[in-house]
Amino acid sequence: MDHSFEPLVKLYNDNGDGFTVIAHRGASAYYPENTMSAFKAALEMGAEMIEADVSLSKDGVPVVIHDEELRRTTNGSGLVSDHTVEELKRLDAGAWFGQAHAGEQIPTLEELLTLATGKIALNIEIKPEAVGKTPFGGIEEKVVSLVEQYGMRDYVLYSSFAYKAIKHFHEINVDIPVALLYDKKQSSGRRLTQLVADYDADAFNCSYWQYSKKWAEEAKEAQIPIFVYTVNDERKMRKVIQRGASGIFTDKPDVLKHLVDNMWKTK
Ligand code: G3P
C-alpha cells in the first residue's frame, strides 16, 4: 500500500495508514441506508468515516436521503423537496428494508452531526437536485454553517456530482476539503488533473469500474487523493487498495476494516 498523501480530513480513530474506511450511507448492507441505525452500526464496526447524502426539505432543512424521490426508501411518494421536514419525519424509512427496521425516520443533518461529533468523520455528499440556481444562500452554505456550529470543520469532507457546488464550497471557505464526484457528462473529455484544477477540488471520487490504472497513476503523480465507491467484495477491495486509493466507500465497513487492519499488520 502506498498512501503517502497528507490526510485531507482528521479522523477520530486514525490508525495512521493514510487510508480511510468509509461507510457508504452508513453500514447499509445491514441496516436501511442513510438512517441513524445504519450510522450507529458504522460507528460500532470501526468505520473511520460515514458517507451520507444530503438534500433539502421544502422548508429548507438539510435532510439525509439519497434519492430525489421518496418511493424507494420510504413509505411516502413524490419529491423530497415537496415535503416539509415535519412531513418527512412522519415517514417510515426502514420498513422497505425489512419489517424489523420499521419505524426508522429520515434523519436531519443535525441528527447525524449530533451522533458524529467527537466520534467519527463525515463525507457529506450534496445531492445535485438540491443545488440551487442562485449562487449564494443555498444548501452548501446551510451545510457548512451547521458543520461549523457543531465544531466539525476538520472532520468533514464535502462532495457532489454537481460540479458547480464543488467550486462553490471553496468560495464559501477556501480551507474546507472538497471532493469532485466524477460525472462523465459534465467532464467533456478533460483529464482527471484538469477537472480537479478546473473545479478547485482537493480529491477525486469515482466508481470501482471507473478507477482505471491510468487514473490511479495520474492521481498518484499529481498527489490527488482518490476515493472509490461502492466496493463490498474483498477481492475488489484489495485491488483498489493496491492500486493506491486513499479510501473506499463500502456498505460493509466491518469487512473493509478487518481487511485493512490485517493488510496493515502484515505489511
Ligand atoms: O459518494 C460516493 C457514492 O455514494 C456516490 O454514488 O449514487 O451512492 O451517491 P451514490
Side-chain angles (χ1 to χ4, degrees):
M1 283 196 276
D2 177 16
H3 306 295
S4 48
F5 308 146
E6 278 297 301
L8 269 183
V9 296
K10 286 188 188 166
L11 303 175
Y12 288 106
N13 50 350
D14 196 354
N15 61 358
D17 65 357
F19 179 87
T20 310
V21 173
I22 310 168
H24 179 246
R25 310 179 192 173
S28 59
Y30 315 107
Y31 293 88
E33 65 180 57
N34 284 318
T35 60
M36 293 310 289
S37 294
F39 298 143
K40 282 178 193 153
L43 186 60
E44 278 156 23
M45 288 173 184
E48 294 164 313
M49 183 181 273
I50 288 171
E51 185 260 357
D53 301 289
V54 176
S55 209
L56 280 184
S57 66
K58 187 179 177 181
D59 46 346
V61 178
V63 289
V64 185
I65 184 164
H66 179 271
D67 295 4
E68 190 171 4
E69 291 196 6
L70 292 162
R71 197 172 16 162
R72 183 179 63 87
T73 59
T74 76
N75 60 346
S77 61
L79 298 176
V80 174
S81 59
D82 281 341
H83 294 74
T84 63
V85 69
E86 206 190 313
E87 287 162 349
L88 293 173
K89 288 306 264 180
R90 282 205 288 268
L91 299 175
D92 187 310
W96 69 276
F97 193 80
Q99 266 316 307
H101 303 277
E104 289 285 347
Q105 292 182 330
I106 296 173
T108 60
L109 177 59
E110 281 215 69
E111 286 173 278
L112 173 57
L113 284 165
T114 302
L115 171 78
T117 304
K119 296 197 194 79
I120 190 161
L122 296 177
N123 168 218
I124 298 180
E125 184 187 326
I126 302 293
K127 298 307 295 176
E129 59 270 18
V131 175
K133 291 186 178 57
T134 49
F136 294 100
I139 186 166
E140 302 93 320
E141 272 83 359
K142 286 183 190 219
V143 169
V144 168
S145 137
L146 277 177
V147 167
E148 297 282 321
Q149 213 175 295
Y150 279 77
M152 282 282 280
R153 181 195 289 189
D154 294 341
Y155 297 89
V156 175
L157 172 66
Y158 298 89
S159 64
S160 187
F161 282 110
Y163 284 8
K164 72 172 180 180
I166 302 298
K167 207 164 186 168
H168 187 44
F169 272 114
H170 278 165
E171 290 163 359
I172 300 170
N173 183 341
V174 286
D175 292 332
I176 57 179
V178 186
L180 182 130
L181 263 162
Y182 177 71
D183 172 49
K184 198 172 176 193
K185 274 197 271 152
Q186 292 170 82
S187 301
S188 41
R190 284 170 285 182
R191 284 167 62 90
L192 183 155
T193 40
Q194 191 60 51
L195 283 170
V196 166
D198 286 351
Y199 295 96
D200 198 15
D202 305 290
F204 188 83
N205 296 3
C206 65
S207 74
Y208 172 80
W209 300 108
Q210 291 163 339
Y211 185 47
S212 61
K213 267 198 187 140
K214 192 170 151 242
W215 272 4
E217 278 159 22
E218 195 185 331
K220 192 172 168 187
E221 174 133 4
Q223 296 267 298
I224 297 164
I226 293 203
F227 299 92
V228 178
Y229 65 90
T230 304
V231 191
N232 295 327
D233 171 81
E234 267 196 62
R235 193 185 52 82
K236 290 180 180 157
M237 287 173 179
R238 255 176 226 283
K239 191 173 142 190
V240 169
I241 292 166
Q242 274 151 1
R243 216 166 250 192
S246 294
I248 290 178
F249 297 88
T250 180
D251 302 332
K252 298 180 175 176
D254 53 341
V255 173
L256 180 58
K257 177 82 170 76
H258 183 76
L259 179 80
V260 169
D261 285 350
N262 285 307
M263 281 176 95
W264 185 244
K265 266 186 228 139
T266 55
K267 206 186 158 195

